[in-house]
């Protein structure tokens, strides 16, 4: 019973914090391991960031 109350309070504080950060525009995910320039050097000029070639059957 007490654990449920503590879990609810933690969840509420987390949600409130996420709303505040999102409203300020500071919510970001994990930083990429490679910069755009490094990725372009590895992938090459034929593929852009996030695009994948599909193989035809």
């Amino acid at each position: 019973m007490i654990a449920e109350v503590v879990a609810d309070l933690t969840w509420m504080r987390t949600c409130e914090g996420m709303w505040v950060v999102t409203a300020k525009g500071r919510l970001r995910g994990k930083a990429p391991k490679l910069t755009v320039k490094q990725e372009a050097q590895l992938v090459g000029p034929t593929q852009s960031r996030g695009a994948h070639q599909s193989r035809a059957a």
Side-chain angles (χ1 to χ4, degrees), residues 2 4 7 9-11 19 22 25 33-34 39 41 43-44 46 48-50 52-55 57:
I2 294 176
E4 292 176 1
L9 289 174
T10 302
W11 180 80
W19 291 329
T22 303
K33 292 184 178 183
L34 298 176
E39 186 176 350
Q41 289 176 347
V43 173
T46 59
S48 62
R49 183 180 184 121
H52 298 285
Q53 292 179 346
S54 61
R55 295 182 183 190

Side-chain angles (χ1 to χ4, degrees), residues 27-38:
L27 183 63
R28 292 183 272 167
K30 185 176 180 181
K33 292 184 178 183
L34 298 176
T35 64
V36 175
K37 185 177 178 181
Q38 290 171 331

